Amino acid sequence: MAEGSTKVVLAALGGNMAIAFTKFIASAFTGSAAMFSEAIHSVVDSGNQVLLLYGIRRARRPPTPQHPFGHGREVYFWSFVVAVLLFGIGAGLSLYDGWHALTNPRPVETPWINFLVLGIATVFEAASWWVALREFRRTQGNQGILSAVHRSKNPSVFVVLFEDTAALIGLLLAGIGLALGEITGDPAWDAWASMAIGFVLAVVAAMLAYESKGLLIGESADRRVVEGIRAIVGEEARVKRPLDVLTMHMGPDDVLLNLSVEFQDSLNAREVEDAVCAMETRIRHRFPQVRRIFVEAESLRARRDREAARPNPEMPNPEARPG
C-alpha cells in the first residue's frame, strides 16, 4: 500500500511541476487571469505532493519511547495541512485574482497560447488522475467513490485523486472562460472562470479537511474488519462471548485492537493464555493490518459492576438543587 501511495504522489508531482511551468509562461504572455489561477493551482498541488511524500516518509519511522505506537498517523496530519493550504493559498489566490481581473478587466492577448497550454496540461493531469484512480480502485470494492473515500484510511491516494479531479475541472472552466471571452469580446468571462476555479478548490479543500480530520482524531477499522474479528472471537470455544471490540487506525496499514472478552469460568490461567494466543494468531492471519492486540479478560460480574457504575440519565441526580 505504501509503495502504491508513493507512486501515485510522485506521478502527480512530476505532472504538476511541468504543468505549472507552462501555465506561468502562458499567463505572462497573454495576461489571462484564469491561466494565472491555474498556474497557482499547479504550484499549490506540487507543494502538496511534496508534503505528502514527506508525511509518507515520516510515517515509516519505527516506534520510539516517546511514540510507542509508531508515527503512522503523521501522514494524516500532513494530509490535513495539504487541505488547509489548498483552501488558503489555492482557493484564496484564485478568488482574489479573479475579483481583481473583474474590477480591472483587460483583453487576453494571444489566446491560442492559452488553449495550447490547456491542452497539454489536460494530458498530464489526465495521466496523473488515471494513476491515482487505478490505485484507489484497488481498495474501493463495490462502494461508491464518496463512500470509499469516507471509509479509506489512506489519505495520500484520495488526496491526489481529489486534487487531480479539481485540476481537470479547473482546466475545463479556464477553457470555457477563455472561449467565451473570445466569442463575446468580453474579458470578464476570463475573470469569472478564475473565480469559479477558486470556488472548486475551496469545495475540494473542505472535503479533504473533513476526511483528514476524522483520520487525525482517530477512526475505527472498517466495519467488515470489526465484524470479522468479532466472529473469530465468537468461534473460540474457550470464550463465552466477546464484550468489546475496539479498534483504531494508527496509520493506513496499522490497526490497534483492544479486545474485552468473557472466558469460560472453568478455565485456568494457562488455558486462558492458550485461548488468547489462538485468537491473536487467527486475527493476524486474516487481518495483517492489525499490528497490536490487547486482550482484557473480564468476568460477567465485573461487567455488571462497571455498567452499574455508569450514570443513568433517566434517574434524578440527588445532589441537584431545585431551581
Side-chain angles (χ1 to χ4, degrees):
M1 182 67 72
E3 290 75 11
S5 303
T6 303
K7 178 183 68 175
V8 169
V9 178
L10 285 173
L13 176 61
N16 280 316
M17 290 180 65
I19 293 168
F21 180 73
T22 55
K23 286 177 180 176
F24 272 121
I25 292 178
S27 175
F29 273 99
T30 64
S32 169
M35 185 57 66
F36 184 72
S37 295
E38 276 297 302
I40 292 173
H41 182 185
S42 296
V43 170
V44 173
D45 282 354
S46 298
N48 289 345
Q49 269 98 56
V50 171
L51 291 178
L52 286 175
L53 287 172
Y54 179 73
I56 292 172
R57 181 178 179 182
R58 297 273 296 179
R60 293 172 179 168
R61 291 183 300 162
T64 63
Q66 292 77 22
H67 301 278
F69 294 106
H71 300 78
R73 293 174 71 175
E74 191 154 345
V75 71
Y76 298 157
F77 168 77
W78 289 108
S79 298
F80 186 80
V81 171
V82 163
V84 173
L85 291 178
L86 188 64
F87 183 87
I89 299 179
L93 288 180
S94 294
L95 289 169
Y96 171 79
D97 189 63
W99 177 255
H100 183 267
L102 192 63
T103 54
N104 300 278
R106 62 171 184 163
V108 176
E109 302 174 359
T110 323
W112 66 268
I113 296 179
N114 284 329
F115 289 112
L116 176 63
V117 170
L118 288 176
I120 296 173
T122 300
V123 173
F124 280 110
E125 290 288 2
S128 174
W129 178 85
W130 180 247
V131 172
L133 182 64
R134 282 202 314 175
E135 184 65 24
F136 181 75
R137 279 181 171 172
R138 289 176 54 190
T139 57
Q140 181 182 354
N142 297 324
Q143 308 170 82
I145 292 289
L146 293 180
S147 177
V149 168
H150 184 65
R151 292 177 179 272
S152 175
K153 312 302 178 183
N154 188 6
S156 56
V157 174
F158 70 70
V159 165
V160 173
L161 181 63
F162 271 39
E163 282 186 345
D164 288 345
T165 301
L168 289 172
I169 295 174
L171 290 169
L172 177 62
L173 292 172
I176 292 174
L178 288 168
L180 290 175
E182 286 299 307
I183 293 172
T184 64
D186 184 1
W189 284 108
D190 181 59
W192 284 115
S194 177
M195 296 185 70
I197 292 168
F199 176 76
V200 170
L201 292 179
V203 171
V204 171
M207 294 175 66
L208 291 178
Y210 175 79
E211 295 297 336
S212 299
K213 181 208 69 170
L215 293 169
L216 188 59
I217 293 174
E219 286 189 359
S220 65
D222 186 82
R223 177 175 51 85
R224 291 169 295 182
V225 175
V226 175
E227 291 176 353
I229 293 172
R230 187 177 293 274
I232 290 174
V233 177
E235 292 167 0
E236 173 57 52
R238 290 164 288 191
V239 172
K240 277 189 178 181
R241 57 171 179 158
L243 298 176
D244 289 323
V245 180
L246 306 177
T247 60
M248 179 180 291
H249 266 270
M250 309 306 294
D253 299 307
D254 187 355
V255 175
L256 171 69
L257 169 62
N258 187 72
L259 275 175
S260 177
V261 299
E262 182 184 353
F263 290 96
Q264 298 290 350
D265 296 332
S266 60
L267 298 184
N268 57 38
R270 179 61 182 272
E271 290 170 330
V272 169
E273 182 180 349
D274 291 341
V276 170
C277 291
M279 288 187 295
E280 289 183 349
T281 301
R282 290 189 62 193
I283 291 170
R284 286 196 169 97
H285 178 73
R286 183 172 174 183
F287 304 108
Q289 67 269 37
V290 179
R291 305 281 182 84
R292 299 170 183 83
I293 301 176
F294 300 94
V295 180
E296 177 185 2
E298 187 170 2
S299 65
L300 182 59
R301 177 179 296 178
R303 175 76 171 185
R304 288 173 176 171
D305 292 343
R306 183 157 59 91
E307 291 179 348
R310 294 174 181 171
N312 188 348
E314 297 181 357
M315 296 292 292
N317 186 355
E319 298 181 359
R321 297 180 181 180

